[in-house]
């Protein structure tokens, strides 16, 4: 049985805040894990000012890793972070039994929270079914806060999140909120305001962070915080000080960066940029294809053209060609 009073005491006052980087999983050229890079990755992110790490999500290719590999990646990030910022481990799986195993492991290694997508091969079609799935999964980590990962573009399950939160509130004792990766600001706002702002709803679309912040977001989880956290920190600082036009300009730079990267296979391009910034995280794993040398050179020139390396505070490395 879950001691709900103890659990709520543990979770009280621990809402996420700031920029939380959805971390990449370093790999060798043959596709094996390269966990020796994780400490350097963590130090880079902390020096860039991120306030948390989200491990083995879409960005981290969690769905392309074996269950044992996911445990190894999670343990490496928790160890390297050493409690300095929260680490959230994504444990969703098409097999709820594997998800159960991953959730239990995340609690054992001291993860600050777990998060999970729903099973996506057989689609979850109702909030009732989603609640049953998440209750089963989260029960494996009864002392660890749980965030549902809402990303309908990839899961194919467009469940109304207000309905889900209402149903799951009592059914999933460890539920504290959502990672909301969709573009419906109106639904995001409804989730934020539900039950007197009970739930910690974290924004997940980097190119719309300004709108989400104006709507009430206190924290955001994203891929591009790995590369250019300074853009978003400048944006939020400007907004907080009432400089709306300046905040818009910083968000515009983010959009331009994301559109430029989006002309290439996105996550392989992101890994290539991290290498340009001096952190070799290797290639992506199939089915994601790595960039060719020609694509990498073109990407570098495109980023130079928009001033990315000045925005992000880094100078481009010499061409590998």
């Amino acid at each position: 049985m879950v001691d709900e009073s103890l659990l709520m005491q543990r979770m009280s006052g621990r809402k996420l805040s700031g920029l939380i980087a959805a971390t990449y999983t370093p790999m060798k050229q043959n596709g094996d894990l390269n966990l020796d890079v994780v400490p350097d990755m963590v130090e880079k992110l902390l020096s860039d000012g991120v306030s948390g790490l989200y491990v083995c999500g879409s960005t981290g290719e969690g769905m392309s890793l074996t269950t044992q590999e996911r445990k190894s990646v999670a343990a490496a990030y928790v160890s390297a972070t050493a409690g300095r910022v929260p680490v959230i481990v994504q444990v969703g799986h098409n097999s709820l039994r594997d998800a159960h195993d991953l959730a239990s492991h995340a609690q054992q290694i001291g993860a600050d929270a777990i998060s999970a997508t729903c099973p996506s091969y057989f689609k979850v079609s109702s909030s009732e079914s989603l609640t049953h799935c998440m209750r089963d999964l989260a029960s494996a980590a009864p002392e660890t806060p749980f965030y549902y990962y809402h990303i309908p573009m990839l899961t194919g399950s467009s469940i109304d999140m207000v309905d889900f939160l209402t149903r799951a509130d009592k059914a999933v004792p460890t539920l504290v909120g959502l990672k909301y990766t969709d573009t419906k600001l109106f639904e995001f706002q409804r989730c934020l305001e539900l039950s007197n702002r009970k739930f910690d709803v974290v924004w997940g679309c980097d190119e719309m962070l300004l709108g989400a912040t104006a709507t009430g977001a206190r924290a955001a989880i994203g891929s591009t915080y790995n590369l250019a956290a300074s853009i978003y920190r400048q944006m939020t600082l400007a907004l907080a000080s009432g400089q709306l036009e300046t905040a818009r300009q910083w968000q515009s730079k983010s959009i331009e960066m994301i559109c430029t990267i989006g002309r290439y296979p996105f996550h392989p391009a992101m890994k290539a940029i991290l290498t340009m910034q001096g952190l070799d995280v290797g290639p992506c794993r199939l089915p994601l294809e790595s960039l060719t040398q020609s694509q990498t050179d073109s990407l570098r020139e495109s980023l130079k053209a928009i001033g990315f390396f000045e925005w992000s505070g880094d100078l481009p490395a010499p061409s590998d060609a």
Side-chain angles (χ1 to χ4, degrees):
M1 294 291 292
V2 176
D3 185 336
E4 293 193 29
S5 62
L6 179 62
L7 182 65
M8 293 310 296
Q9 182 180 4
R10 174 184 170 88
M11 296 178 185
S12 64
R14 297 189 61 183
K15 287 189 175 182
L16 299 171
S17 63
L19 302 176
I20 298 163
T23 59
Y24 280 91
T25 298
M27 294 182 186
K28 300 176 182 177
Q29 289 302 315
N30 65 358
D32 289 347
L33 299 181
N34 189 10
L35 299 183
D36 289 344
V37 178
V38 168
D40 290 338
M41 185 76 188
V42 170
E43 297 309 318
K44 170 191 167 22
L45 292 172
L46 294 184
S47 68
D48 287 348
V50 303
S51 57
L53 307 178
Y54 189 87
V55 177
C56 285
S58 308
T59 302
E61 299 176 79
M63 298 308 181
S64 296
L65 306 179
T66 68
T67 295
Q68 184 54 55
E69 285 176 327
R70 289 172 69 172
K71 290 180 180 180
S72 297
V73 173
Y77 271 105
V78 169
S79 175
T81 304
R84 288 174 288 175
V85 296
V87 177
I88 304 101
V89 177
Q90 199 284 124
V91 300
H93 202 290
N94 271 323
S95 164
L96 283 174
R97 294 200 172 187
D98 275 315
H100 206 271
D101 186 21
L102 288 165
S104 176
H105 174 264
Q107 179 167 290
Q108 291 169 13
I109 62 174
D112 296 277
I114 60 170
S115 178
T117 54
C118 61
S120 58
Y121 185 87
F122 295 114
K123 303 295 186 248
V124 177
S125 58
S126 71
S127 57
E128 182 179 18
S129 178
L130 179 59
T131 298
H132 291 161
C133 290
M134 296 303 104
R135 179 177 60 194
D136 178 76
L137 182 157
S139 68
E143 299 175 4
T144 304
F146 171 66
Y147 290 79
Y148 174 60
Y149 181 5
H150 178 59
I151 183 166
M153 178 179 68
L154 293 181
T155 63
S157 295
S158 299
I159 308 299
D160 182 283
M161 284 295 99
V162 174
D163 188 31
F164 166 70
L165 286 174
T166 302
R167 286 179 177 272
D169 187 14
K170 299 297 184 184
V172 185
T174 55
L175 176 68
V176 294
L178 303 173
K179 178 184 185 294
Y180 189 92
T181 306
D182 200 0
T183 57
K184 298 175 182 175
L185 273 173
F186 68 91
E187 184 181 46
F188 175 73
Q189 183 170 348
R190 289 185 68 208
C191 291
L192 279 174
E193 295 173 353
L194 187 64
S195 300
N196 196 28
R197 298 187 177 271
K198 177 178 182 177
F199 297 102
D200 191 13
V201 188
V202 182
W203 185 249
C205 295
D206 305 5
E207 61 272 43
M208 294 179 65
L209 180 58
L210 179 59
T213 302
T215 302
R218 297 176 65 255
I221 299 171
S223 304
T224 60
Y225 309 152
N226 287 278
L227 306 177
S230 60
I231 292 176
Y232 301 98
R233 288 194 287 104
Q234 292 293 333
M235 186 203 78
T236 53
L237 286 170
L239 185 62
S241 61
Q243 301 175 57
L244 182 56
E245 184 55 38
T246 300
R248 287 178 181 144
Q249 291 170 5
W250 282 112
Q251 182 70 85
S252 180
K253 290 181 185 297
S254 158
I255 293 169
E256 189 172 14
M257 171 187 69
I258 291 169
C259 288
T260 299
I261 298 169
R263 296 202 294 265
Y264 305 84
F266 188 80
H267 288 303
M270 290 283 289
K271 280 193 158 184
I273 298 168
L274 281 170
T275 299
M276 295 176 199
Q277 293 180 324
L279 189 69
D280 187 357
V281 292
C284 288
R285 180 175 287 185
L286 290 171
L288 297 178
E289 299 278 359
S290 298
L291 300 191
T292 64
Q293 186 61 55
S294 175
Q295 287 176 313
T296 300
D297 292 341
S298 174
L299 172 61
R300 188 196 308 271
E301 293 307 309
S302 296
L303 291 171
K304 283 182 183 178
I306 65 171
F308 165 77
F309 294 103
E310 288 73 31
W311 303 343
S312 60
D314 295 285
L315 296 176
S319 173
D320 297 323

